[in-house]
Structures are given as structure tokens and as C-alpha cells.
Amino acid sequence: MATHFLEIFVFSVLVLTSYANGAYEDDVSFDQNYFSLWGSNHLTRVENNKGVHLLLDQYSGGGGFRSISDYGSGRFGMRMKLPYANTTGIIISFYLTSAPDSYNPGNHDEIDFEFIAGTDLQTNIFAGDSGNRGERYQLWFDPRKDFHLYEILWNPNIVVFYVDKVPIRVFKNNKDKGVNYLSNPMHTEASIWTADWAGAVDWSQGQFITNYRRFGIDGCVSQNTSLNQECLSSHLSWNVQKELSPREQMMHRRMRKKHLVYDYCLDKERQQNHPECLVPPI
């Protein structure tokens, strides 16, 4: 029992220290980098455009917004607070995608944060294909009670998912081992919507409102349909990272030991289609 308590305490200290050292750009207005993509009547600007509410109701659906620009690399973050309700059947997301607006994406690049089963968080990666690289986590906090920071680092070497500066998932560029990697410009999107496969929505819970903040983007704008060479440059600060630091590795291992509840690489039906599952983990 004492050992278990010590592990929790050390993990909490690491999280709080990392979180306190972050730069969040909360002072950037929504319209500087984003616009309403669909369901514009369900998007409400608040706090002098420093925050946005996305509404989902039973009669007219949800809404979403996207970045003005496409990017070829960068570090992308959003603060989110979920509706304080049972959100089974509701998908609440923040992600990067190369899919064109309002079209069936087919095979494409995408990096997802999605809340899909109430407060369970899922991540997924599409790399010029149909994805099916899902991992699911039960977080160490209730995402309905306060804002938390969800970030994606994407560069030519590595993809890292961070929650409050804790690295929860790593996907490396292992193209030399036959693993697909992201190779197209992407924009950021956020949305709230329903999906039958995620369960039945309890509409008696009322209107569902997700809160978003932090609209600054640290990324390389891509002007072409293929990645600009300048977006791959090692001179860009976010392109330097190839591995987790020793401290991040410790946080990563502790988080996955305690909070990972599904890994596609441990799913025999999925792992055979993904050669990255044969690459030793970090």
C-alpha cells in the first residue's frame, strides 16, 4: 500500500511540475486562427473571443470549427472542458486532419483526441490509410470539472500526445521498418457530434456544451498540397525532438501502467495489420 501511494505521489508531482512550466497562449482570440466549419449557430464566442462554447442538442445536431491554415509540422494544443453530464454516444474531439472539408476522407492522415464513452479518452492515428490505431485511457482526473490541456506534437520524427504535459502516447516515424507515417499537410479541427456506435445518447441530460480555450498555434504553415521542405527543417523548435526525455519516459510509463485500458497492438484482430506493433516500445 505504501509503495502504491508513493507511485501516485511521484506521478502527481511530475504532472504538476510539468503543467506549471507550460506556455498556453490563452490570450489569442478565436478568430486569429480558427473559423466555424459547421453548425455555426451552435458556436458561441465568450470571454472576448478568448473562449468558445460548442452546443449539441437533440434537434439540430452539434458543431465544429477548424484552423484557417494547413500545417506541415508543429505543436498544437487546445484546452477543453466537457459537459458535466453523461455524454455516452457523444463524440467530443480535437484533432489534426488532411481530409478536405465536408467530403468523405477515404485514406488520409489524421491525429485524434476523442472523448467517446463519457469521460474515456481515445487517441487514433491515420497515416495515409483508414486508421484503426485506437488507444483508450481512463484519465487521472474528471475532464468535466475543469479545463485541461490536450496537445499534439507532430514533426518528421515523432508524434506525441500530451495531456497536461504528460506524454500519453508516442508514434515514431519507422518508415524504414515498413510503418506508414504522416506525410500530408493537416489542419486542426474541434467538434461535438453523435455516433450510433458510441452508444445511445441520454437526451434528458439536457443540452450538451463543450468549452474550448487556447487558440494559439505553434506550427509551420504549409502553402502546398504536399509538405513544404521548410516545415521539415530542424531549425524549427518543434522539429528537434526525436525521443522523449528521460523524465518524459518515466511519466509515460507510469501513465500507461495506470490509465491505459485498450491498446490496438494488443488486439490480435488489429495488430496483424500494423507493423508498428512489432517495433519494441520506448
Side-chain angles (χ1 to χ4, degrees), residues 5-274:
F5 176 80
L6 180 60
E7 288 182 352
I8 294 175
F9 175 76
V10 171
F11 180 70
S12 299
V13 170
L14 288 170
V15 171
L16 290 172
T17 302
S18 182
Y19 190 64
N21 290 337
Y24 303 122
E25 299 183 62
D26 281 341
D27 59 338
V28 174
S29 70
F30 173 81
D31 297 296
Q32 179 172 324
N33 288 316
Y34 288 94
F35 66 93
S36 175
L37 181 60
W38 60 282
S40 58
N41 60 326
H42 283 196
L43 185 149
T44 303
R45 293 167 174 80
V46 298
E47 301 170 2
N48 293 321
N49 283 340
K50 303 299 172 56
V52 160
H53 293 171
L54 280 185
L55 166 69
L56 171 74
D57 64 32
Q58 186 175 2
Y59 306 103
S60 53
F65 58 88
R66 63 155 287 177
S67 62
I68 296 170
S69 300
D70 287 352
Y71 298 88
S73 62
R75 187 160 187 148
F76 309 88
M78 189 70 66
R79 288 185 186 268
M80 298 166 53
K81 182 169 74 170
L82 273 58
Y84 203 84
N86 176 6
T87 53
T88 299
I90 297 171
I91 313 300
I92 298 169
S93 65
F94 170 65
Y95 57 102
L96 290 164
T97 182
S98 68
D101 299 340
S102 305
Y103 287 91
N104 186 334
N107 289 343
H108 66 293
D109 290 348
E110 188 167 310
I111 310 173
D112 293 339
F113 276 116
E114 293 180 318
F115 285 95
I116 62 169
T119 58
D120 280 6
L121 176 64
Q122 177 171 284
T123 63
N124 201 355
I125 293 174
F126 298 69
D129 53 29
S130 57
N132 293 318
R133 296 183 180 87
E135 291 188 358
R136 188 178 296 186
Y137 324 85
Q138 292 177 342
L139 297 172
W140 55 95
F141 55 83
D142 186 339
R144 304 171 301 175
K145 289 185 175 181
D146 203 351
F147 284 92
H148 293 270
L149 182 63
Y150 304 87
E151 292 180 289
I152 297 166
L153 169 69
W154 164 47
N155 67 32
N157 312 302
I158 196 170
V159 172
V160 185
F161 294 81
Y162 291 92
V163 176
D164 287 347
K165 299 298 181 180
V166 177
I168 68 169
R169 180 175 182 177
V170 174
F171 186 81
K172 293 185 177 181
N173 184 344
N174 284 310
K175 293 181 71 173
D176 60 331
K177 297 180 175 64
V179 177
N180 290 355
Y181 195 69
L182 303 106
S183 59
N184 296 291
M186 293 189 284
H187 59 269
T188 61
E189 290 193 24
S191 60
I192 181 170
W193 53 288
T194 62
D196 293 339
W197 53 264
V201 178
D202 180 3
W203 293 108
S204 70
Q205 296 283 316
Q207 293 181 328
F208 300 91
I209 297 175
T210 299
N211 296 272
Y212 292 89
R213 291 179 183 166
R214 188 195 183 276
F215 302 118
I217 295 178
D218 296 322
C220 175
V221 175
S222 181
Q223 305 293 345
N224 305 311
T225 56
S226 59
L227 293 182
N228 298 348
Q229 284 303 308
E230 55 265 32
C231 290
L232 307 179
S233 170
S234 60
H235 296 294
L236 297 172
S237 61
W238 52 80
N239 283 348
V240 174
Q241 186 168 344
K242 296 182 179 180
E243 306 279 351
L244 298 184
S245 69
R247 182 166 170 272
E248 286 184 323
Q249 290 180 25
M250 182 189 306
M251 298 170 71
H252 179 71
R253 287 193 296 269
R254 290 178 185 274
M255 190 289 307
R256 293 178 71 83
K257 180 180 178 181
K258 295 179 179 298
H259 301 285
L260 179 68
V261 295
Y262 175 81
D263 181 347
Y264 74 105
C265 278
L266 301 179
D267 185 332
K268 293 183 178 179
E269 294 183 6
R270 298 282 176 86
Q271 66 181 199
Q272 59 188 350
N273 298 319
H274 297 290

